[in-house]
Amino acid sequence: MNKIAETLRTFEFFENIGDEELNFIAERLDEIEFPAGSTIIKEGDDADSMFILIDGEIDVLRTTPFGDEYLCATLLAEFHCTFGEMAMIDKDKRSATIKAKTNCKCLEVKAKDFNGFCKIYPAAGVELLKIIAINMARNLRNENENLRLVYQALIEEIEQI
Amino acid sequence: MNKIAETLRTFEFFENIGDEELNFIAERLDEIEFPAGSTIIKEGDDADSMFILIDGEIDVLRTTPFGDEYLCATLLAEFHCTFGEMAMIDKDKRSATIKAKTNCKCLEVKAKDFNGFCKIYPAAGVELLKIIAINMARNLRNENENLRLVYQALIEEIEQI
């Protein structure tokens, strides 16, 4: 098992994936370094890849309707996070900006490699897609709850007038 | 090909699935009839299945923080819609209520049958999971946009005071 495969083995994302499949993925990934303060992905950009954060801290930012960026979350490599899955799956635009808060190392998974992997190892592809779908469902439930809270605040604000 | 498989063949959801796989699914589905006005699924309920609407019209409803139901969408069988995928994937609670607007016929896909299908036909499982993930990504992008709009309305309301 090469060094990248050993790193991936520690990720919950790959917990149901065998060593052969993990090596196949690992051989197709490049380690990319992002210096602190640099932009890893930009909201609105076209994209077809996801990232695996293997070192450092990242900020997840969104833009308000007035053009201001606000911080949604800070993610640490020790929590074994992945990001950008949505654009890899639907090949639509990035839904958030990700900036390196510290010097970061990431692995980029391109859609063509992911789809190639699913063709060769479909059972492992099912496992990865289930995790991606579960993560998306969690984000969707969070967004529903955020929408409910902001909606409630809006109604209270209107009634106060 | 049995009658249910022939119906499923018209759904975009199953367009990348072969006849053998489609028959396998079709044999495990029961047609359920819901009279107009009845509740098909209820927001907050535990669940582990998705539905395929094959006849009739349904209303998608959510509850406000004040307990009022509001209409999010009306879906027609002719648009070949599926619903409830999220709870089938993450086995968490229903995120919306679905009511039969007219007399409806649905096919219910249980998580255990879906997972069994993915084990026997993983390549087809990959195709179905990709469509589920793409649908979820679309819903997530819509929710992001809704949140942005309600947030904007809230800021404008606050500034007006």
Side-chain angles (χ1 to χ4, degrees):
Chain A
M1 201 184 273
N2 73 19
K3 198 170 151 265
I4 290 181
E6 277 174 17
T7 303
L8 296 182
R9 178 50 73 218
T10 63
F11 278 68
E12 197 185 346
F13 192 83
F14 295 103
E15 70 180 355
N16 294 321
I17 305 302
D19 287 348
E20 181 189 331
E21 292 88 330
L22 206 62
N23 274 318
F24 181 94
I25 297 177
E27 281 166 12
R28 278 150 189 82
L29 299 180
D30 285 319
E31 214 175 274
I32 311 175
E33 296 193 8
F34 295 95
S38 65
T39 299
I40 303 175
I41 63 179
K42 194 164 165 42
E43 189 177 346
D45 276 2
D46 289 323
D48 63 352
S49 65
M50 62 170 275
F51 289 85
I52 300 163
L53 178 63
I54 56 169
D55 195 31
E57 294 177 28
I58 55 166
D59 282 335
V60 183
L61 303 143
R62 286 236 170 84
T63 313
T64 69
F66 309 102
D68 303 315
E69 268 187 349
Y70 65 98
L71 185 68
C72 299
T74 296
L75 306 176
L76 283 67
E78 63 198 79
F79 296 148
H80 294 149
C81 27
T82 57
F83 55 93
E85 295 95 328
M86 204 159 81
M88 182 183 77
I89 292 294
D90 72 0
K91 301 195 178 69
D92 206 334
K93 297 186 189 310
R94 293 292 184 199
S95 64
T97 292
I98 306 281
K99 282 188 181 166
K101 190 177 178 186
T102 63
N103 290 337
C104 285
K105 277 185 199 164
C106 291
L107 301 168
E108 187 175 11
V109 186
K110 296 206 171 68
K112 71 171 173 54
D113 290 328
F114 182 77
N115 292 331
F117 174 81
C118 288
K119 279 215 157 60
I120 299 171
Y121 300 110
V126 162
E127 297 301 328
L128 292 183
L129 280 162
K130 274 189 189 167
I131 290 186
I132 289 174
I134 287 171
N135 287 347
M136 272 191 210
R138 188 191 55 217
N139 291 342
L140 202 43
R141 290 178 192 281
N142 285 342
E143 285 294 272
N144 285 345
E145 191 49 34
N146 287 340
L147 186 59
R148 208 184 290 263
L149 291 174
V150 178
Y151 179 80
Q152 181 168 10
L154 174 64
I155 299 292
E156 282 169 3
E157 202 61 46
I158 290 170
E159 284 179 348
Q160 193 186 307
I161 293 168
Chain B
M1 200 183 276
N2 73 17
K3 198 171 151 264
I4 290 182
E6 276 173 17
T7 305
L8 296 182
R9 180 48 75 221
T10 64
F11 279 68
E12 198 186 345
F13 192 83
F14 295 103
E15 71 179 355
N16 294 321
I17 305 301
D19 287 347
E20 181 188 331
E21 292 89 330
L22 206 62
N23 274 318
F24 180 94
I25 297 176
E27 282 165 11
R28 278 150 189 81
L29 299 181
D30 285 321
E31 215 175 274
I32 311 175
E33 296 193 8
F34 296 94
S38 64
T39 298
I40 303 175
I41 63 180
K42 191 159 166 50
E43 189 177 347
D45 276 2
D46 289 323
D48 62 353
S49 65
M50 62 171 275
F51 290 85
I52 300 164
L53 178 64
I54 57 170
D55 194 31
E57 294 177 27
I58 55 166
D59 282 335
V60 183
L61 304 142
R62 285 238 170 82
T63 313
T64 70
F66 309 102
D68 304 316
E69 268 189 348
Y70 65 99
L71 184 68
C72 299
T74 296
L75 305 176
L76 282 67
E78 64 197 80
F79 297 148
H80 295 149
C81 25
T82 57
F83 55 93
E85 295 95 326
M86 207 159 76
M88 183 183 76
I89 291 294
D90 72 1
K91 301 193 179 71
D92 207 335
K93 298 184 189 312
R94 293 291 184 200
S95 65
T97 291
I98 307 282
K99 282 187 180 166
K101 190 177 177 183
T102 64
N103 290 337
C104 286
K105 277 185 199 162
C106 292
L107 302 167
E108 187 175 12
V109 187
K110 297 209 171 65
K112 70 172 173 53
D113 289 328
F114 182 77
N115 292 332
F117 174 81
C118 287
K119 278 216 158 59
I120 299 169
Y121 300 110
V126 162
E127 297 302 328
L128 292 183
L129 280 163
K130 274 188 190 170
I131 290 185
I132 290 173
I134 287 172
N135 288 347
M136 272 193 210
R138 188 192 54 217
N139 291 342
L140 201 43
R141 290 178 192 281
N142 285 342
E143 284 296 89
N144 285 345
E145 191 48 33
N146 288 341
L147 187 59
R148 209 185 290 262
L149 291 173
V150 179
Y151 180 80
Q152 181 169 11
L154 175 63
I155 298 291
E156 282 169 2
E157 202 61 45
I158 289 170
E159 286 178 348
Q160 194 186 305
I161 293 166

